[in-house]
Amino acid sequence: MNYGLRPLLAFTLVLGGLAGGIFSAPAPTRAAELEEYQRKYISFYQLRPVPYDKYVIQGFQKELPRFDYRLLGTGGRGNLLEFLNLVKKYQLENAGQMAANQENDNVKIGDKVVSWSDTKRIMESAYVFATDWSWGEVDLGHLRRKSKNSNTWLIDLEADLQMKLDIYKLSGSQPELYSQQATSWKISKTYELSNFNEILRIVKEATGDAVDPDNVLVQPLIVEVIKKIPFYAQLLNMNPEASLRAEAEKKLADDGSTGLTTEIKRLNDFILKNQIDSADMAQDQVTVKLSGTETVDTLGIGLDQGFKVIEYRMQNGQEVPVDVGFTKVRELANSQFRLQPIIVGRDYEAGDQMIEYPKTGAGIGFSLGTVPLGFEGQEQNMFVPQASLDIEYSLAQASGVSELYFTFLGGMAMPQQANLSQATVPTGRSVDAGASVLPFDLEIGLMKRWYMRQLIFSLGLRGGALAGTLLGSGLDPTPTALGLGGTLLAGLHYQATADMILGLNLGWRYFSNAEFSIAASSGSSTSPVAYPAMNSNGPVIQAFLNYAF
């Protein structure tokens, strides 16, 4: 079942009679004119009040401060594109009256009477943003204990709140749908299960086996029983707008984000543009000055933000934009900012066109290399092959420190087998001969990069856990081990493109002994296993590739 809401909100991007600016045009047929930013207006037109609209407005105000925002009136419009066509027709038919500034308090467009001020703003508009809200299926999930070892169990009522955004372009002869965007939020409300023992009894009767509610394979059976309880069955049949509205408003308010800003900035018509004011290529410094009263804050320009440098070249009789470089913002002043050249196809010059290259600040990478692994009492293997997934997120704008990143690594190494004749074997439950360890580690930390154009030097520090699963042990459940430690890394990287970095990291890591054990039936204690503790102390080598989003 899909619960839909009529289109609720229209955003009108007002040109205000300004030319050029933030919006780019198709490839020119004559000498291209360089473009600079000029402030525009976004007017919000609410077709009817809906509680989620104000949070979207606040999100755009926060994420796109380069626009001024105006709220138009409210009232039903029916088919938005049809109405915009009628406005365009009215504009053409009444050009003389408008030129003479003969304005009325209200204007009849089609069968609608609209205030003149609202009509005029739409006539001056270049774009209209229209949202459409809907709810997805309601479900129960995320069964869990209230806290570790607690006897109280919780479950969530969940549904996706979806927002579609249609962008209409009005600058041509006829309004047209320019782009469609979409985003969603997972909305949930938590309930405490007061009759959980009775629920487990029903599951046990149905399966004929003892029920372990912590077992992820058993939990779906428990959830199905919960869905049949009248209270929860009624919740599942309710419109999520009624059952989850308060949670949705809180989620949207707390997030403070529309989730669409980066994608909208990437649209050709919405890219921020400016020109280089001065370029000192010997010192790798490029300066851009902002026009009028604009500041880096009002335009939303942040530390480490990327800009491409382009020039126009003749191709098939037309001048087309061609990338000649990539830069990143390194210093922010009130009405200007300094950038560092990263990729340089030719020396930059004053007057070169700068085009914003929006990114989310997140990157994902894959690395192959070696790590040290061993067992207590046994000499370590210093070069065990390992593959890793690396995720990073820029902290530059939050911290004010350029090229500072939060990092997460999840790695898995080649299975290892202890030499029981050399290693120290603790007392505990015996394991089958031939058992081997599958090692993996999870770490979080910080990394700092220093750029010398495309060449990059980095330092990183991570801390986390080294874990292992004892495969082929003959024990149930499977024995596991966990040790704490960290890794210190230095790297030499190369910015291959504006999106991609590749390189080599070298470092040292240390993890304390990770002793193998199995969980007791009560779930609150463990039993030792007669297998040597795993450890790690030695060099780390990683060759990696990273892609920025």
Side-chain angles (χ1 to χ4, degrees), residues 15-23 33 35-38 40:
L15 283 177
L18 300 176
I22 195 171
F23 306 107
E33 295 183 3
E35 298 169 279
E36 288 189 344
Y37 172 81
Q38 295 183 21
K40 310 297 185 296

Side-chain angles (χ1 to χ4, degrees), residues 94 100 134 138 192 228 258 274 355 373 383 391 455 483 511:
N94 296 272
S134 64
V138 188
E192 184 175 304
K228 293 180 172 61
T258 64
N274 219 305
I355 296 182
L373 280 172
F383 303 101
I391 298 174
L455 192 64
F511 285 93

Side-chain angles (χ1 to χ4, degrees), residues 9 11 44 53-62 71:
L9 178 66
F11 310 83
F44 298 87
D53 293 348
K54 60 183 177 182
Y55 303 110
V56 173
I57 294 173
Q58 291 168 5
F60 274 106
Q61 288 173 328
K62 175 184 176 182
L71 179 64

Side-chain angles (χ1 to χ4, degrees), residues 92-166:
L92 294 174
E93 293 176 350
N94 296 272
Q97 179 182 352
M98 294 170 60
N101 200 29
Q102 298 175 7
E103 302 178 359
N104 301 313
D105 291 336
N106 296 296
V107 177
K108 185 175 182 181
I109 298 180
D111 60 350
K112 305 292 184 184
V113 177
V114 190
S115 71
W116 169 252
S117 60
D118 286 357
T119 305
K120 186 177 180 182
R121 287 178 181 175
I122 295 173
M123 291 176 179
E124 294 172 341
S125 302
Y127 300 87
V128 168
F129 288 18
T131 61
D132 182 12
W133 296 90
S134 64
W135 283 94
E137 294 285 343
V138 188
D139 203 359
L140 291 173
H142 196 200
L143 180 66
R144 64 199 183 278
R145 294 180 185 269
K146 189 173 184 178
S147 60
K148 186 178 181 181
N149 301 326
S150 171
N151 291 324
T152 301
W153 285 79
L154 308 175
I155 196 166
D156 289 345
L157 182 72
E158 302 173 331
D160 286 335
L161 177 60
Q162 301 152 352
M163 184 186 77
K164 295 180 180 178
L165 179 68
D166 290 341

Side-chain angles (χ1 to χ4, degrees), residues 308 326 328 342-343 357 359 362-366 392 405 449 451 453-456 493-503 544-549:
K308 284 190 173 182
F326 174 67
K328 298 183 81 172
I342 305 297
I343 300 175
Y357 195 63
K359 289 289 181 180
I364 187 168
F366 179 75
E392 64 183 40
Y405 295 86
R449 289 187 177 127
Y451 274 78
R453 293 205 176 176
Q454 288 175 266
L455 192 64
I456 308 165
H493 309 164
Y494 181 76
Q495 184 91 43
T497 70
D499 304 308
M500 188 180 300
I501 295 176
L502 50 87
F544 76 93
L545 184 147
N546 178 278
Y547 185 87
F549 293 97

Side-chain angles (χ1 to χ4, degrees), residues 136-424:
E137 294 285 343
V138 188
D139 203 359
L140 291 173
H142 196 200
L143 180 66
R144 64 199 183 278
R145 294 180 185 269
K146 189 173 184 178
S147 60
K148 186 178 181 181
N149 301 326
S150 171
N151 291 324
T152 301
W153 285 79
L154 308 175
I155 196 166
D156 289 345
L157 182 72
E158 302 173 331
D160 286 335
L161 177 60
Q162 301 152 352
M163 184 186 77
K164 295 180 180 178
L165 179 68
D166 290 341
I167 301 178
Y168 295 91
K169 188 171 184 176
L170 308 183
S171 55
S173 59
Q174 292 292 328
E176 62 177 344
L177 182 62
Y178 173 69
S179 178
Q180 291 181 302
Q181 306 288 331
T183 188
S184 64
W185 296 263
K186 175 70 74 175
I187 309 300
S188 64
K189 184 176 183 178
T190 301
Y191 291 87
E192 184 175 304
L193 296 166
S194 58
N195 54 346
F196 195 65
N197 289 333
E198 177 64 17
I199 295 170
L200 295 182
R201 185 190 64 79
I202 296 173
V203 176
K204 181 179 179 180
E205 288 181 355
T207 61
D209 295 323
V211 178
D212 177 10
D214 292 302
N215 189 327
V216 294
L217 300 178
V218 175
Q219 287 188 356
L221 300 176
I222 299 174
V223 172
E224 289 304 313
V225 172
I226 296 172
K227 289 180 180 180
K228 293 180 172 61
I229 298 174
F231 174 77
Y232 295 101
Q234 183 179 4
L235 286 176
L236 293 172
N237 286 325
M238 289 178 62
N239 188 324
E241 175 69 17
S243 57
L244 293 173
R245 171 173 166 171
E247 286 70 25
E249 291 195 58
K250 185 177 186 304
K251 175 72 171 178
L252 293 175
D254 291 346
D255 279 4
S257 170
T258 64
L260 292 175
T261 305
T262 300
E263 292 302 320
I264 290 174
K265 285 181 178 179
R266 288 172 177 166
L267 296 174
N268 189 54
D269 284 15
F270 291 83
I271 297 173
L272 180 63
K273 296 184 177 182
N274 219 305
Q275 300 174 31
I276 293 178
D277 182 71
S278 64
D280 185 347
M281 300 306 289
Q283 298 296 321
D284 278 345
Q285 294 186 2
V286 173
T287 302
V288 173
K289 292 184 178 180
L290 303 176
S291 60
T293 59
E294 299 298 345
T295 69
V296 293
D297 290 332
T298 61
L299 296 183
I301 298 172
L303 196 62
D304 290 354
Q305 187 170 330
F307 282 80
K308 284 190 173 182
V309 181
I310 67 168
E311 66 180 12
Y312 291 88
R313 298 176 184 172
M314 293 297 297
Q315 292 184 7
N316 299 323
Q318 291 187 329
E319 284 190 339
V320 297
V322 178
D323 293 348
V324 295
F326 174 67
T327 68
K328 298 183 81 172
V329 176
R330 295 305 189 215
E331 185 178 322
L332 300 167
N334 187 48
S335 59
Q336 66 180 34
F337 55 98
R338 181 179 63 81
L339 305 98
Q340 178 185 11
I342 305 297
I343 300 175
V344 179
R346 63 158 174 78
D347 283 353
Y348 306 158
E349 301 172 352
D352 278 346
Q353 180 79 75
M354 306 282 292
I355 296 182
E356 180 182 24
Y357 195 63
K359 289 289 181 180
T360 63
I364 187 168
F366 179 75
S367 63
L368 290 173
T370 64
V371 295
L373 280 172
F375 298 92
E376 187 176 9
Q378 177 183 330
E379 185 177 352
Q380 285 194 104
N381 182 347
M382 290 295 184
F383 303 101
V384 177
Q386 174 169 290
S388 302
L389 179 69
D390 305 86
I391 298 174
E392 64 183 40
Y393 189 81
S394 174
L395 299 177
Q397 296 187 29
S399 67
V401 179
S402 178
E403 296 298 334
L404 180 66
Y405 295 86
F406 168 82
T407 62
F408 167 82
L409 175 139
M412 181 175 293
M414 182 177 292
Q416 299 294 295
Q417 194 172 42
N419 186 334
L420 300 182
S421 63
Q422 297 180 4
T424 303

